[in-house]
Amino acid sequence: MNLVTGGTGLVGAHLLLHLLQNGEKVRALFRSENSIQKTRNLFNQLNKSDLFYQIEWSPGNVNDIPSLELAFENIDYVYHCAALISFDGVEEENLRKINIEGTANMVNCSLAFGVKKFCYVSSIAALGDLKEKETVITEETEWNPEKPHSDYALSKFGAEMEIWRAEQEGLHCIIVNPGVILGIGFWDSGSGEIFTKVKKGIPFYTKGSTGFVFVEDVVMVMHQLMKSDISGERFTLISENIIFKELIFWIAEGIKIKKPTMLAKPWMTSIAWRLDWFFSTVFFQKRRFSRATAKSLHTSDIYSNEKIKKSLNFEFQPIQEVVKKVSFAFSKK
């Protein structure tokens, strides 16, 4: 039996579908009945509603130990996908509580219940910092605590420390560090918001870049790693390093919307995040555009996927083709 956390999010929901399609039994942790509807919607959109009813749902969350003890009964493999993703400074405490303490609870239960193997979904945000003359970020790039990191990155790095601690205590673990994950469904959160915002009309683009990956590739790699003898390793999961301008243009083409025409320069996004902070403070609104987000739009980090490609002989789907698939599904939703 496989236990999946975050089954009502993009990665977790697609993972549940992938595992079921491969004949696996799954149990998924959920916090509310309403959240399950998101996963049901995905299965329906992909014409897999019959498989949805094979999921065994278990109420609880990663910070509720009694609920975890019930969820861990007869579990052999754990896929920990649940996390809080936020770049808003007011969420610092929640990021640590959910991402670090929650992960510690998950591995502690795994050790207590004799779980065979544990897969943790981290992020490229938790990878290291380039030194002078280095140009590509790999799994071996060292984390520099003296450099500035977002609260989200710090929470994911802290969670990885809990994974390595559990590995030393006898739990077989693997970590995957995906880039920006593109996938069908969940259009109001995560990368799905990019498609929603492009449809509404984005006048600006930037020339920063980062690593992108298709959610189906992510869950396929996770499953293969869990079935392999590989343990105590982390893997960067990206298909390609893509410039934001290209991505936005591909999405605009895919959903048949006018492409943005204006380059947003650093001083413009600098003003934007300050205005966002002002209005969120005065009107008690949720942050929509943080300083960290603004900075990332102009940063050109290059990530390597050579380790996972060699370890599993895996080939990722090209991002331009992925955008076409996701855009088509978005248009039909």
Side-chain angles (χ1 to χ4, degrees), residues 207-258:
K207 290 187 177 181
S209 68
T210 192
F212 291 86
V213 65
F214 191 25
V215 67
E216 292 182 10
D217 285 342
V218 173
V219 301
M220 190 180 301
V221 166
M222 291 167 64
H223 190 208
Q224 289 184 25
L225 285 171
M226 289 288 272
K227 290 300 182 182
S228 73
D229 294 328
I230 299 171
S231 178
E233 299 282 350
R234 72 201 296 221
F235 297 91
T236 303
L237 305 188
I238 68 141
S239 171
E240 300 171 79
N241 296 282
I242 300 294
I243 298 172
F244 296 125
K245 175 185 175 181
E246 289 186 344
L247 182 78
I248 297 300
F249 280 23
W250 290 341
I251 294 174
E253 289 175 359
I255 61 178
K256 297 178 173 57
I257 296 293
K258 183 179 179 181

Side-chain angles (χ1 to χ4, degrees), residues 67 123 262 315 326:
S67 70
S123 166
M262 187 178 297
E315 289 297 328
V326 179

Side-chain angles (χ1 to χ4, degrees), residues 186-189 191-202 251 255 330 333:
F186 301 88
W187 308 115
D188 296 323
S189 62
S191 64
E193 284 189 293
I194 301 174
F195 291 81
T196 301
K197 290 179 179 178
V198 171
K199 183 178 181 180
K200 291 179 179 178
I202 296 179
I251 294 174
I255 61 178
F330 179 79
K333 72 182 179 71

Side-chain angles (χ1 to χ4, degrees), residues 120-128 139 156 160 164 174-181 213 218 233-238 303-304:
Y120 176 60
V121 181
S122 186
S123 166
I124 56 173
L127 295 175
E139 295 83 354
K156 298 300 278 187
E160 289 193 14
W164 299 137
I174 53 172
I175 295 175
V176 293
N177 297 77
V180 178
I181 304 172
V213 65
V218 173
E233 299 282 350
R234 72 201 296 221
F235 297 91
T236 303
L237 305 188
I238 68 141
Y303 299 90
S304 170

